[in-house]
Amino acid sequence: LAVVAIAGIVAGVIIFTSDRGAPDAPPTGSNSEAAGAPTLTDEEAIDRYFDLETMVVEAYASVDPKLLPRIYTEDSPTVEVVEAELARLQRLSARLVGTYDTLDIEVVSQSRDEIVLRQEVIVKGRLRPVGDVKVRARYHDQRQVVRIVLRWQESDGWLIHRVHAIESERLKQ
């Protein structure tokens, strides 16, 4: 049973913490909170996303849900998935060590309160025990194409609102 639960956690992260929900509606640009949002160049938007992605990897490696408010918007559907996965990792006394190797990334659209990126990425995740706990799981690296929505929050700046897998392919090892 523990192997099944562990495989489920790895699969959850392998899908890049995708909430698998419907794509967000196009931005309306009427968000009054966005009045203070700085305009970012494509390069700055991508750099901001990579900073957030690094914090996601850190949150999983340290199994630390306290990092999530610094990564995700308050109303993010993706953060609910991540919180559940971190709780499972805590129950299993395990942590996830993963990497995201970006093959391609581009800014698809940008409004004053929302930035949409498209990333092609190789996702690798490995469970590691905390303490003397044995962890057995099968690992499968994934090639994914994901749609990332960053939204502006006045208090925290540009954060991840949603990550949605568009394509996913299990890679042979």
Side-chain angles (χ1 to χ4, degrees), residues 25-38:
T28 61
S30 62
N31 185 346
S32 62
E33 186 178 62

Side-chain angles (χ1 to χ4, degrees), residues 80-102:
E80 296 170 9
V81 174
V82 175
E83 288 170 338
E85 289 173 344
L86 291 178
R88 279 190 298 238
L89 286 168
Q90 286 175 336
R91 283 193 303 276
L92 294 169
S93 294
R95 61 190 176 91
L96 187 72
V97 178
T99 61
Y100 301 123
D101 298 326
T102 298

Side-chain angles (χ1 to χ4, degrees), residues 74-159:
E74 294 170 2
D75 59 341
S76 169
T78 303
V79 76
E80 296 170 9
V81 174
V82 175
E83 288 170 338
E85 289 173 344
L86 291 178
R88 279 190 298 238
L89 286 168
Q90 286 175 336
R91 283 193 303 276
L92 294 169
S93 294
R95 61 190 176 91
L96 187 72
V97 178
T99 61
Y100 301 123
D101 298 326
T102 298
L103 303 175
D104 187 41
I105 189 166
E106 65 180 334
V107 173
V108 175
S109 67
Q110 190 169 158
S111 70
R112 66 180 195 182
D113 64 341
E114 186 172 278
I115 300 169
V116 178
L117 300 106
R118 180 190 171 281
Q119 179 186 35
E120 183 178 355
V121 62
I122 303 296
V123 181
K124 300 176 182 183
R126 303 292 184 260
L127 286 175
R128 299 288 183 248
V130 175
D132 295 333
V133 175
K134 289 235 182 224
V135 177
R136 293 182 307 168
R138 293 185 183 176
Y139 304 109
H140 300 284
D141 298 343
Q142 299 261 325
R143 185 196 68 82
Q144 295 191 334
V145 177
V146 293
R147 179 180 180 267
I148 302 126
V149 178
L150 303 181
R151 285 208 179 142
W152 174 258
Q153 284 193 173
E154 194 65 40
S155 58
D156 300 301
W158 292 102
L159 300 177

